[in-house]
Amino acid sequence: MRHRALFFAAALFLNCRPAGEAVDFQLQELTVTAGEGGSTDFFFPHEDNRVFYRPPAGWRVEQSAARFTARPPAPMSGVFTLETVAPLSKLPPPGTNTPEALDQYGKAVLAGFNSQAQQPVVVECVTESLGGRALPCTRVTIEYTDQVLARRCTVCYVQFRLDLTLLVRIDSLKQDAVVHKTALHSLEGFTEMPGK
């Protein structure tokens, strides 16, 4: 499990501005009944709102107030985490689509890797919109070697609110590309709505 620490400091080594109240990443269920049928949605509590999110089917989930973690079923390996951090004062806002901004994000993620990661290199750095509210996002993908294993790490900086950044991290063997695709796909429904 050593690889989980390789990029843990990717967002935290930079100075941060004061943050809003963090999202509580303990997933809760909301069952809606209609006639004889019904459906179950999942959400994270945040202030007076609910942040709706459905984890990838079949993944093992670990929850705490500070961080949501999910792992794919065997034989795949990897880890997918969500947490909120203060806005990063040394980086442009997420979603800033200029060569300079993308270069800064790539360097920030590389700086978060420790010496156990061999030959880390940025293979992609793009901006996109994430979730039901089309949140501005900068996504950086790194490839590196951990001992003899080729690995891939994706880090997304998402502007959840002006005073709060959602940090998404996905790390897996390079051959398990479906881990990254599935984790990112699960965020398409990531939406904050009013109501406790």
Side-chain angles (χ1 to χ4, degrees), residues 10-24:
L12 304 180
F13 80 103
L14 297 165
N15 291 334
C16 296
R17 297 188 290 271
E21 184 177 331
V23 173
D24 180 349

Side-chain angles (χ1 to χ4, degrees), residues 10 24-25 30 37 54 72 98 104 112 132 142 146 156-157 165 179 184:
D24 180 349
F25 283 106
L30 174 67
R54 184 171 292 274
T98 65
Q104 283 181 274
I142 302 285
D146 182 9
C156 300
Y157 299 83
T165 298
V179 170
L184 290 171

Side-chain angles (χ1 to χ4, degrees), residues 66-140:
R67 182 178 300 112
F68 174 85
T69 303
R71 301 176 190 283
M76 294 182 294
S77 68
V79 62
F80 166 46
T81 63
L82 301 172
E83 63 184 303
T84 46
V85 297
L88 308 173
S89 63
K90 291 190 177 180
L91 288 176
T96 304
N97 192 10
T98 65
E100 296 79 11
L102 295 176
D103 182 62
Q104 283 181 274
Y105 275 96
K107 288 177 178 176
V109 174
L110 281 176
F113 278 70
N114 65 27
S115 59
Q116 296 172 342
Q118 301 170 14
Q119 301 174 328
V121 60
V122 175
V123 295
E124 185 178 44
C125 189
V126 296
T127 59
E128 57 194 358
S129 298
L130 184 144
R133 285 172 41 210
L135 300 170
C137 171
T138 298
R139 174 167 50 88
V140 182

Side-chain angles (χ1 to χ4, degrees), residues 22-28 43-47 64-67 84:
V23 173
D24 180 349
F25 283 106
Q26 298 181 86
L27 206 59
Q28 299 185 22
F43 68 92
F44 302 120
H46 183 233
E47 298 175 349
S64 71
R67 182 178 300 112
T84 46

